[in-house]
Amino acid sequence: MKKTISIAIDGPAAAGKSTVAKIVADRLGYIYIDTGAMYRAITFEAIRRGVELNSHSALEDVLKTVKVDLRLAEDNTQHVFINDEDITEPIRTHEVTNSVSIVAKHKNVREAMVARQQSMAANGGVVMDGRDIGTHVLPNAEVKVFLLASVEERAIRRHNENIKKGFDSNLENLKEEIAKRDKLDSEREIAPLKKAEDAIEIDTTSLTIVEVVEKIMNLVTERAL
Ligand code: CDP
Ligand code: CDP
């Protein structure tokens, strides 16, 4: 019988993590855990309360009074909740996207989120995506993947997504925002965005989603037998 494993997928913004993580989780019947959505949820709540995003103690108050949950809706899409309020849509706003790296660098925020993520993954059978999954959250994951793509390609992907959704979009601004977030995420002191030593790097710049999924499924087959 195949064993149930944990799969860690890390990488910078718009590298394709969540898209491929969901497909891999579906194929394996595993749970998909979007850790970025959890940092976005805390950021959304901090902005809503009007607290200073650089203040460790203000964020501590937010952390003490919220419970972040990820739940599957009937249509099999993942929804994000804060104290039972569905905040799936508002965590994707420009304002949250451009502030999340500031909130995510705080020690108290990371400790709270990592504890929650580890308890969700305690029984294995998970595909978790983020920035520090292979290095910190699931250091013993059987499969670790680090997805990359050029900043240009990642900005084009987000731009196309925005246009498809009917949102305003400016490619140059997106490029700048992505590069800025990459820098903040890679240079922060605690659990920065970094490839784990034992992670397999996949440059997705010129790969389709299907090709990336196949590469990961091959790794799963190798490790899970
Ligand atoms: O989907 P996108 O790549 O835009 O970002 P995300 O996965 O939703 O993550 C949003 C932000 O949360 C990142 O830019 C990081 O600042 C933070 N994050 C983190 O610090 N650690 C993680 N494991 C996941 C996300
Ligand atoms: O989760 P992350 O921010 O890393 O990226 P994503 O939201 O999964 O993917 C960003 C966009 O790139 C989505 O619209 C995907 O459909 C697209 N994508 C792609 O065009 N080619 C790939 N190899 C992977 C993703």
Side-chain angles (χ1 to χ4, degrees):
M1 201 176 80
K2 282 187 182 172
K3 69 176 184 183
T4 302
I5 62 166
S6 297
I7 302 170
I9 303 185
D10 289 300
K17 302 180 299 295
S18 61
T19 306
V20 300
K22 275 180 214 157
I23 300 172
V24 169
D26 267 355
R27 287 227 198 147
L28 295 167
Y30 282 14
I31 297 165
Y32 164 58
I33 302 173
D34 176 357
T35 64
M38 300 170 70
Y39 291 96
R40 284 173 179 272
I42 298 298
T43 306
F44 166 77
E45 185 61 18
I47 292 172
R48 177 159 72 173
R49 293 189 193 180
V51 308
E52 168 53 59
L53 301 184
N54 269 310
S55 162
H56 189 83
S57 59
L59 290 172
E60 188 66 33
D61 290 339
V62 175
L63 289 169
K64 270 193 211 142
T65 48
V66 299
K67 183 166 184 280
V68 178
D69 278 314
L70 301 179
R71 297 181 200 152
L72 262 194
E74 272 175 18
D75 63 355
N76 207 30
T77 57
Q78 193 161 90
H79 283 235
V80 187
F81 289 80
I82 232 172
N83 297 340
D84 291 326
E85 175 190 355
D86 190 335
I87 53 158
T88 310
E89 274 192 27
I91 64 165
R92 302 284 159 197
T93 61
H94 212 227
E95 195 183 9
V96 173
T97 301
N98 288 333
S99 306
V100 60
S101 297
I102 298 166
V103 171
K105 71 176 197 256
H106 288 267
K107 187 169 187 270
N108 52 353
V109 174
R110 300 210 71 78
E111 282 178 356
M113 293 305 107
V114 170
R116 188 98 186 84
Q117 291 152 13
Q118 287 175 334
S119 78
M120 288 177 182
N123 298 322
V126 294
V127 183
M128 193 179 277
D129 84 337
R131 302 292 186 287
D132 60 341
I133 312 306
T135 51
H136 283 93
V137 183
L138 302 177
N140 298 322
E142 285 83 352
V143 173
K144 294 184 187 180
V145 176
F146 195 79
L147 296 185
L148 280 175
S150 67
V151 177
E152 286 72 21
E153 170 65 18
R154 291 186 282 129
I156 290 170
R157 289 176 185 176
R158 279 281 182 264
H159 186 59
N160 290 340
E161 242 178 35
N162 288 341
I163 289 173
K164 217 166 142 187
K165 289 179 189 159
F167 298 160
D168 284 343
S169 191
N170 177 305
L171 188 57
E172 283 313 306
N173 288 352
L174 275 171
K175 225 185 275 179
E176 265 176 42
E177 285 164 13
I178 286 178
K180 190 174 165 202
R181 196 142 60 94
D182 284 356
K183 189 167 155 55
L184 285 171
D185 290 342
S186 312
E187 293 181 356
R188 70 171 173 238
E189 216 170 294
I190 310 162
L193 163 65
K194 194 174 153 221
K195 179 184 145 334
E197 268 176 28
D198 51 352
I200 305 291
E201 186 172 298
I202 304 176
D203 186 339
T204 74
T205 307
S206 52
L207 295 179
T208 64
I209 293 165
V210 173
E211 286 170 332
V212 180
V213 168
E214 286 315 318
K215 281 183 186 289
I216 298 175
M217 289 303 293
N218 287 340
L219 291 171
V220 172
T221 308
E222 273 171 29
R223 308 286 157 90
L225 287 178

